[in-house]
Amino acid sequence: MAHFTKKAIRDSFVKLLNERPLSQITVRDIVEDCGVNRNTFYYYFQDIPQLLETIIKENADRIIQDNPTIDSIEDCLSALIGFALENRKIVFHIYHSVSRDIYEQHQWRICEYVVTAYVDGILSGHLVSDSDRRLIIDYLKCVCFGIVIGWLEKGMRDDIQSRIRRICELKQGEWERMIEKCKR
């Protein structure tokens, strides 16, 4: 029963977030939508920001779990934008709220994971210094994060998938050459 109630609260919040900005959603709105009382909400969540962070963290964990290996930079970027493409209004409302930093923190975490998985896959079996490995990961992580955040900042209007494909075409081999230069 507890899992069902917690899920009902999350589902109602997501439904409301799909309809209106975060600043226009109250605990009252959530509990009225899912049919529980305020005390039940506060039993599971301290406040709306904690509920939001729980949902974002769960989605970040799912993205990481669903992508155990990454074969290309395009895969890295696709993993990062998948949730945003499926939930445009929700992401738009979160990104343009006072809780934007929560979303960015988890995007950064996903970037770290997918880029590390990609780089470690390419470097497997090659001797590369830890400092070079870390430098490559940090560089690619910043590039991927910047592309995604730039798209969010512009209101998610661009066809991000086409842009990613084009970036990968233009950069084809560049990242691999950089990694190759680090191999000993």
Side-chain angles (χ1 to χ4, degrees), residues 53-72:
E53 184 163 10
T54 298
I55 291 168
I56 292 171
K57 182 185 181 314
E58 288 171 352
N59 282 306
D61 291 344
R62 181 186 49 77
I63 290 167
I64 289 169
Q65 183 179 352
D66 290 349
N67 293 281
T69 60
I70 303 290
D71 297 323
S72 68

Side-chain angles (χ1 to χ4, degrees), residues 98-160:
V98 295
S99 297
R100 169 186 184 164
D101 62 319
I102 295 169
Y103 184 77
E104 287 179 345
Q105 287 171 2
H106 288 284
Q107 279 293 94
W108 190 250
R109 183 174 149 240
I110 296 167
C111 270
E112 174 81 26
Y113 171 79
V114 296
V115 168
T116 300
Y118 170 62
V119 170
D120 286 348
I122 288 177
L123 295 178
S124 179
H126 300 280
L127 293 175
V128 174
S129 71
D130 287 339
S131 62
D132 279 350
R133 176 187 168 274
R134 188 74 243 159
L135 186 61
I136 292 167
I137 289 170
D138 288 346
Y139 170 74
L140 292 177
K141 181 175 58 172
C142 290
V143 168
C144 292
F145 184 79
I147 289 168
V148 173
I149 294 301
W151 173 63
L152 291 170
E153 190 64 36
K154 293 177 184 171
M156 301 185 291
R157 289 186 294 264
D158 297 339
D159 178 1
I160 188 72

Side-chain angles (χ1 to χ4, degrees), residues 127-128 132 136 174-184:
L127 293 175
V128 174
D132 279 350
I136 292 167
E174 184 176 312
W175 289 308
E176 291 81 2
R177 279 191 303 278
M178 182 173 61
I179 291 168
E180 192 64 37
K181 288 179 180 181
C182 294
K183 293 178 185 175
R184 295 188 236 171

Side-chain angles (χ1 to χ4, degrees), residues 2-84:
H3 179 70
F4 175 79
T5 304
K6 192 173 183 179
K7 183 178 177 339
I9 292 169
R10 286 192 313 250
D11 291 349
S12 288
F13 178 63
V14 168
K15 176 185 160 215
L16 293 169
L17 195 53
N18 210 7
E19 296 171 357
R20 57 185 123 144
L22 182 60
S23 62
Q24 295 177 11
I25 299 172
T26 65
V27 171
R28 177 186 222 170
D29 296 330
I30 296 167
V31 299
E32 284 178 2
D33 186 76
C34 68
V36 300
N37 65 42
R38 288 178 69 84
N39 290 337
T40 302
F41 176 91
Y42 289 114
Y43 176 78
Y44 292 106
F45 302 101
Q46 179 180 340
D47 53 19
I48 289 177
Q50 184 194 28
L51 170 58
L52 177 64
E53 184 163 10
T54 298
I55 291 168
I56 292 171
K57 182 185 181 314
E58 288 171 352
N59 282 306
D61 291 344
R62 181 186 49 77
I63 290 167
I64 289 169
Q65 183 179 352
D66 290 349
N67 293 281
T69 60
I70 303 290
D71 297 323
S72 68
I73 291 296
E74 191 169 351
D75 288 348
C76 291
L77 290 163
S78 293
L80 289 169
I81 62 163
F83 178 78

